[in-house]
Amino acid sequence: MKATVRAHPNIALVKYWGKRDEALILPHQSSLSLTLAPIHVTTTVEFGAAADTVELHGHAAKGSERDRVLRLLDAVRVQAGRDLGPAKVVSRGDFPMAAGLASSAAGFAALAVAGCAAAGLPEDTRASSILARRGSGSACRSVQGGFCEWQRGERADGEDSYAIQRFDAGHWADLRMVVAILDRGEKEVKSRDGMKNTVETSPYYPAWVKDAEAEVPRARELIAKKDLEALGELCERNAWRMHCTTLSADPPLSYLSPATLGLIQHLREQRKKGVPVWFTLDAGPNPVLLTTSAHEVAAEALARACGAVDVVRCVPGGDATLLTEHLF
Ligand SMILES: Nc1ncnc2c1ncn2[C@@H]1O[C@H](COP(=O)(O)OP(=O)(O)OP(=O)(O)O)[C@@H](O)[C@H]1O
Ligand SMILES: C[C@@](O)(CCOP(=O)(O)OP(=O)(O)O)CC(=O)O
């Protein structure tokens, strides 16, 4: 009745941006990501506790934060088909939470896998990915490591909307993602709200959906060939196009800061000088640089020269895994 799981966050190379069903968290388009190690979240779930309690990163979760976690565990209870009693959840991450490093992706993936294990359900990556998706869309891509594709699916009940691993972490072991933290502050508009506004008001949104869907198989091919230059170009193009949809929403929304643009400009200059480095950018000001092990030091220096207050160097990460040591 108790299980502990470690999961890594992931960074989307082809982004998920916009839901066709908000309750079930079903996306308009497929997306593709890389799991990031060594940073991770560890979560312990125990059923049969005295009362439902949720502690996230050292604080008792309240309100919608608590509800999101308990709702996911309710779905586990339904799958288990028996009364598991109240749940105690404790979760901790080893990286800055408000830095746009997708703490929610690692958190809900760890919660889904730990919840299933604590309930005695058999290991099932597809079922765990669907559960994680219902906590936070991008979390469905953190159940497995390496390069994962979240297939949008067609069904209204979301049973065909989950992530599958295309390549494991060992496929491209010298790929590096360098997270440049330019601003540690909480963003004003959460991804969830930003994407809703975009879907509802951007005239460019239908073009985004069509384009992103077509980029997924192209990205897959480039990853298969380990063609960093072409993949880097694809990632930048996809990030710009996602940000175009927010800029064209009503009211317009910009996640970019002057420092973000400064870094991108500098990165282009470095590339002209022969440094193989590209960027991607989620819904926040902190770019993630894509390079190889031979150039990660140069990528970190580039980030620091552009005002990064922190830099996190990442390698391709593995699957969410069960641990034998618990957090409580
Ligand atoms: N370890 C965790 N376990 C469960 N839920 C978590 C955990 N960490 C964060 N969360 C939930 O995720 C929310 C933050 O998610 P949110 O999507 O806003 O930010 P993010 O993941 O850091 O960045 P992004 O917006 O790019 O996804 C928190 O308010 C909390 O509800
Ligand atoms: C820009 C993104 O990081 C958006 C992630 O959004 P979330 O998965 O955090 O949103 P919800 O499903 O509403 O919880 C792109 C991506 O990770 O694909």
Side-chain angles (χ1 to χ4, degrees):
M1 297 285 268
K2 185 172 182 175
T4 300
V5 169
R6 172 172 292 178
H8 299 289
N10 70 79
I11 180 80
L13 306 178
V14 179
K15 313 284 180 200
Y16 141 58
W17 195 248
K19 299 177 181 67
R20 63 179 200 273
D21 183 318
E22 295 198 4
L24 289 175
I25 311 201
L26 298 178
H28 274 289
Q29 27 80 221
S30 305
S31 53
L32 188 153
S33 63
L34 173 62
T35 306
L36 302 180
I39 52 178
H40 60 261
V41 164
T42 307
T43 301
T44 299
V45 176
E46 181 173 35
F47 287 109
D52 281 332
T53 55
V54 180
E55 185 195 304
L56 299 183
H57 316 298
H59 301 284
K62 295 192 187 75
S64 64
E65 206 167 41
R66 182 175 185 273
D67 293 346
R68 262 171 94 173
V69 169
L70 295 179
R71 234 180 295 133
L72 194 152
L73 295 180
D74 282 343
V76 171
R77 289 183 174 95
V78 170
Q79 285 191 12
R82 63 194 173 97
D83 183 13
L84 299 164
K88 179 173 178 183
V89 178
V90 175
S91 182
R92 274 181 221 143
D94 72 339
F95 57 99
M97 286 305 127
L101 270 169
S103 55
S104 60
F108 285 106
L111 182 70
V113 178
C116 289
L121 291 164
E123 228 182 287
D124 181 341
T125 48
R126 175 175 167 275
S128 296
S129 179
I130 290 175
L131 277 170
R133 187 202 79 217
R134 292 174 60 174
S136 179
S138 52
C140 76
R141 301 184 311 234
S142 271
V143 169
Q144 287 182 285
F147 297 87
C148 291
E149 235 173 83
W150 176 9
Q151 301 180 317
R152 73 182 287 284
E154 300 298 329
R155 289 171 56 148
D157 65 3
E159 288 302 301
D160 59 352
S161 188
Y162 54 89
I164 56 168
Q165 185 190 60
R166 288 289 184 191
F167 306 93
D168 67 17
H171 167 71
W172 197 344
D174 78 329
L175 189 63
R176 294 291 179 271
M177 307 298 271
V178 177
V179 186
I181 300 175
L182 297 170
D183 183 351
R184 276 204 203 93
E186 288 264 1
K187 57 192 166 202
E188 274 173 38
V189 183
K190 291 194 171 287
S191 298
R192 187 159 290 192
D193 303 327
M195 68 174 82
K196 183 172 191 297
N197 181 40
T198 303
V199 173
E200 288 169 358
T201 66
S202 170
Y204 301 164
Y205 189 71
W208 155 261
V209 172
K210 196 166 167 241
D211 180 72
E213 194 67 46
E215 293 284 47
V216 169
R218 287 185 202 123
R220 191 195 307 148
E221 259 175 56
L222 298 173
I223 294 163
K225 289 194 281 189
K226 299 185 206 163
D227 184 341
L228 182 63
E229 182 171 355
L231 182 67
E233 281 171 8
L234 188 155
C235 287
E236 292 195 355
R237 177 163 90 217
N238 179 261
W240 280 125
R241 288 176 185 173
M242 184 197 101
H243 286 270
C244 265
T245 68
T246 74
L247 291 167
S248 57
D250 187 14
L253 171 63
S254 172
Y255 284 108
L256 310 163
S257 73
T260 314
L261 295 173
L263 188 148
I264 291 170
Q265 184 61 30
H266 188 53
L267 179 147
R268 286 176 169 165
E269 285 158 14
Q270 291 301 303
R271 208 153 64 209
K272 276 192 200 140
K273 289 182 186 160
V275 183
V277 58
W278 287 265
F279 75 91
T280 184
L281 190 64
D282 274 351
N286 302 322
V288 178
L289 312 185
L290 186 64
T291 189
T292 60
S293 56
H295 297 93
E296 64 179 331
V297 172
E300 171 164 358
L302 186 164
R304 294 208 185 268
C306 294
V309 287
D310 215 341
V311 173
V312 185
R313 287 200 223 157
C314 298
V315 299
D319 298 348
T321 45
L322 272 167
L323 306 182
T324 47
E325 266 181 44
H326 304 298
L327 291 179
F328 60 87

